[in-house]
Amino acid sequence: MYDLHGETVHFDTEHNRLLLLDQTELPNKTVVLSLSRLEDMVEAIYNLRVRGAPAIGVAAAVGLSVLSNESAAKTPAEFQAEFLKNAAILEKARPTAVNLSWAINEMRKTQSAHAQAPLAVQKAALTARALELHAADIAVCRTIGEYGAALLQNCDAVLTHCNAGRLATVKYGTALAPVYVAKEQGHTMKVYADETRPLLQGARLTAYELCEAGIDVTVLCDNMASYAMQQGLVQAVLVGCDRVAKNGDTANKIGTSGVAILAKYYGIPFYVCAPFSTIDKNTPTGAEIPIEQRDGEELRSLWYETPKIPQNAKTRNPAFDVTDHSLITAFITEKGVLQPSDFEGYA
Ligand code: MRU
């Protein structure tokens, strides 16, 4: 078995491979993928073998570096054409998480800055940049965890939707980072995890990683969040995000906006944990965020032996929804606990 070094996405520089923990197999099997072909990388991102906005971004950066190192191009022009083609194909694998295009753009900048250099120099620069992005993701998530843990000192339990934990990033996660850091500091919060239909990221992934970390986790069907809030079971909601527009409207896993509306009704703070790589200042509001539409078969038959929706009934399967900025108490970022009006002040 390949060694992920405790990470979800790893760059095996010795063998020039992108290593991924295959999340479609969790929680029952631990399967590590070792990838070097573009089509396998695209398939892994589209089919959610690697998922979660930051993890997808780092996987694409490492993938591009692996592909560049494998390149048989003879001239800088040939190398650049091949690099840009691979970047464009990877970028299309999923549309909503802006971290994917953000990380690919970082790699494009590196390639363009070295475009006249010998190919060995370009390849080394791309490898170094992918490793930097990988390391930065770990550091950023750790800092989000520290700000979040400080904010939630009086919290006994939080509710989360989808999986924005270590499986969604290289290591700590975003929405679950405060829970991990608080635990290290001696404050153990309980977590209520929405199961998150239709792909069950909460039930399969959040519950799995929290159990592994020895954190008390209770899985709720998505339609139980109101009950949990009404009963006073949680004191805050923590979610991740796939893209935050300039005005603070936030795209995250389908169902998040409903949870935010409930939290507002019950007077429970609703925090979005957001690395700056997920804040898209080029998108003015949530209305401009592209929402991924997935195959309705995921609703009809994915987890069942026989389909549970009549064949003649239509399905609709948006993967994300947009939470209005007015429902968000604050953004927990690596630069502090911020409001959208603060975003402009940071690079
Ligand atoms: O479709 P997924 O599983 O990639 O959706 C993931 C989410 O919605 C996460 O909350 C988001 O990407 C943030 S991960 C730190």
Side-chain angles (χ1 to χ4, degrees):
M1 169 110 107
Y2 306 105
D3 188 358
L4 277 167
H5 298 264
E7 297 168 354
T8 304
V9 179
H10 186 73
F11 193 167
D12 175 357
T13 46
E14 195 186 334
H15 304 98
N16 191 41
R17 292 290 181 270
L18 164 64
L19 300 188
L20 300 175
L21 177 60
D22 185 346
Q23 301 190 36
T24 61
E25 298 285 355
L26 292 174
N28 299 316
K29 273 198 239 163
T30 305
V31 175
V32 180
L33 305 171
S34 168
L35 308 182
S36 61
R37 297 180 342 146
L38 176 64
E39 50 274 39
D40 294 336
M41 295 171 191
V42 172
E43 190 277 339
I45 294 174
Y46 180 75
N47 287 324
L48 279 66
R49 298 185 193 284
V50 58
R51 33 70 47 205
I56 297 173
V58 175
V62 172
L64 266 177
S65 170
V66 167
L67 295 168
S68 301
N69 289 333
E70 298 272 303
S71 170
K74 298 267 180 309
T75 65
E78 254 182 73
F79 180 80
Q80 184 174 53
E82 189 185 316
F83 170 83
L84 292 176
K85 191 170 154 221
N86 291 339
I89 292 171
L90 273 170
E91 196 170 16
K92 287 204 187 82
R94 291 191 80 189
T96 304
V98 73
N99 303 60
L100 181 57
S101 45
W102 176 84
I104 289 173
N105 278 336
E106 291 301 307
M107 297 296 280
R108 284 190 183 110
K109 282 186 219 161
T110 300
Q111 195 281 322
S112 139
H114 295 83
Q116 305 310 323
L119 296 187
V121 174
Q122 296 200 40
K123 292 178 184 183
L126 288 166
T127 296
R129 188 67 187 124
L131 287 169
E132 266 170 26
L133 294 173
H134 178 274
D137 184 76
I138 299 174
V140 159
C141 289
R142 171 80 206 179
T143 311
I144 288 175
E146 284 164 7
Y147 281 118
L151 192 67
L152 300 168
Q153 272 170 6
N154 298 323
C155 249
D156 289 330
V158 297
L159 184 135
T160 191
H161 191 76
C162 193
N163 172 264
R166 79 166 181 85
L167 292 168
T169 66
V170 176
K171 209 165 180 178
Y172 287 100
T174 58
L176 296 184
V179 177
Y180 290 130
V181 172
K183 183 165 189 269
E184 279 175 28
Q185 295 170 349
H187 170 212
T188 307
M189 283 183 264
K190 296 190 190 77
V191 178
Y192 286 84
D194 287 347
E195 67 172 353
T196 319
R197 287 278 299 156
L199 294 176
L200 304 186
Q201 289 92 333
R204 293 187 304 111
L205 307 177
T206 297
Y208 167 82
E209 66 163 85
L210 290 173
C211 285
E212 266 208 325
I215 290 170
D216 183 322
V217 56
T218 304
V219 176
L220 301 170
C221 295
D222 293 343
N223 53 5
M224 297 170 185
S226 176
Y227 171 88
M229 292 184 194
Q230 192 182 48
Q231 295 292 308
L233 300 182
V234 299
Q235 293 79 47
V237 178
L238 292 177
V239 295
C241 49
D242 282 77
R243 190 185 300 233
V244 180
K246 194 175 173 194
N247 73 342
D249 291 349
T250 293
N252 190 49
K253 180 52 55 194
I254 190 75
T256 302
S257 68
V259 177
I261 291 165
L262 291 173
K264 181 95 171 175
Y265 179 81
Y266 289 111
I268 294 170
F270 181 93
Y271 296 111
V272 172
C273 298
F276 259 70
S277 53
T278 314
I279 298 174
D280 181 5
K281 293 181 198 159
N282 295 321
T283 298
T285 74
E288 291 84 36
I289 299 178
I291 299 293
E292 176 182 357
Q293 305 289 330
R294 295 184 67 87
D295 190 341
E297 282 310 305
E298 291 180 344
L299 274 70
R300 198 183 299 278
S301 54
L302 186 60
W303 305 110
Y304 309 118
E305 278 181 17
T306 54
K308 290 289 173 276
I309 299 176
Q311 224 33 59
N312 290 339
K314 291 184 278 186
T315 53
R316 185 173 266 225
N317 189 12
F320 301 94
D321 62 19
V322 173
T323 298
D324 193 85
H325 61 275
S326 62
L327 301 169
I328 297 168
T329 309
F331 292 83
I332 307 177
T333 77
E334 71 273 31
K335 320 238 170 168
V337 180
L338 305 179
Q339 295 299 321
S341 54
D342 301 322
F343 295 162
E344 221 32 71
Y346 294 94

